[in-house]
Amino acid sequence: MELNRNFARLSSGYLFSDVGRRVAAFAEKHPDVELTRLGIGDVTLPLAEPVVQAMCRAAREMGTPEGFHGYGPEQGYSFARQAVQAQYAQRGVVLLEEEIFLSDGAKSDLGGLMDLFGPHNIALVPDPGYPVYADTSVMAGHPVRFVQGTQANGFLPGPDGQTGDIVYLCSPGNPTGAVYTREGLTAWVEYALERGAVILFDAAYESFIQDDTLPHSIFEIEGARRCAVEIGSLSKTAGFTGTRFGYTVIPQELECQGIHLRDLWLRRQSTKCNGVSYPVQRAAQAALSEEGRAACRKAVAYYLDNAHTLRAALEGTGVFCCGGDNSPYVWMQCPGGMDSWQFFEYLLKNARIVGTPGAGFGPGGEGYFRLTGFGERTATRAAAERLRAAVLAAQK
Ligand code: PLP
């Protein structure tokens, strides 16, 4: 009997467990100190009313002989897939219903998609980036090559000089909040088409994009249907982090060596997944309806306002920062030459703020720090003032 030895190649802990441990240790030592948590990227506002109503209605239906639903279609009910399809259509992206696969979230799909690829493909992973890309690739045995995001490239690395087969792109990016332009994504699509690589495009934060010139989907780029898979989620868009709903889009044209990836994914999903619960699919349908989208936009505006507050607090301090315009994340350089974990401890002690050390998002995140707009407004405003004072003091 042999275990999957790739697990031994993973870095030791999951970032947020490390943060949690250090915060718990601090709280034990200082029980009277109230902390503002601007670290973990979880939403805080409750579900919108139309979503709650749809979920309750569906739950009641399930308790009646005529409304009971057993196993649903593995790919998702037509009504929910059509709701996703309609959302894309609004931006001029035409998808076929059979290209949309529903799931319990983007994270599951990102992990599951590894089943489609042979073990020796090189994964190009943004650094800094969402740690799940590197970790799921390592678990599946793929060699990982980091693609460096830097201040010089605006944390939006391009394909020049890269050789890889599976390309992860995340826009708006976690943790940097950077968003690819059309030209930036076109360069990656051209690269993938030329090389026969597959792009895994993570659109989990697309609803935060405010600038109309920026693409929300890789499928807004010519040629992407032949080289890209898109992974979406209602977690941040509609507050579904605890409700769980995501989707993967695999266009019919996408094939590798004559095999359609969509067919493989259908086979994989029908084998390893029994779909998303009926009440959650009804809730997702409501979130994607006109009324639901209007309510969700309000929550997104609230989080963006918090992010602007944090960003504004850093302006003029002399410290580099980005994000927060089209993203709930603000990404900053640690002041006073501190490394990420030093600044984490410094901010905890001196400003009572919990943030996320950039080093947790890959080697390229060292020396940087992530703050999020997902907190409560009054607490975020007060924390922003403490943040500014602490950053200024650190540079003296
Ligand atoms: N993709 C990115 C970039 C994320 O930051 C997250 C969650 O924080 C996810 C995917 C996970 O989304 P879900 O909740 O749908 O699994």
Side-chain angles (χ1 to χ4, degrees), residues 174-196:
N174 177 9
T176 63
V179 190
Y180 277 99
T181 59
R182 255 163 226 288
E183 295 70 37
L185 287 186
T186 301
W188 276 112
V189 166
E190 284 171 358
Y191 166 87
L193 289 173
E194 202 177 300
R195 207 190 137 88

Side-chain angles (χ1 to χ4, degrees), residues 335 338 343 346-347 350-351 385-395:
M338 282 185 250
F343 186 56
Y346 172 84
L347 214 53
N350 296 286
E385 285 177 23
R386 302 198 301 273
L387 169 71
R388 185 177 175 83
V391 166
L392 289 171
Q395 294 179 100

Side-chain angles (χ1 to χ4, degrees), residues 105-107 130 133 170 174 202 204-205 233 235-236 244:
K107 200 191 235 187
Y130 182 45
Y133 309 143
C170 181
N174 177 9
D202 185 341
Y205 296 95
S233 168
S235 282
K236 310 298 158 85
R244 312 303 307 144

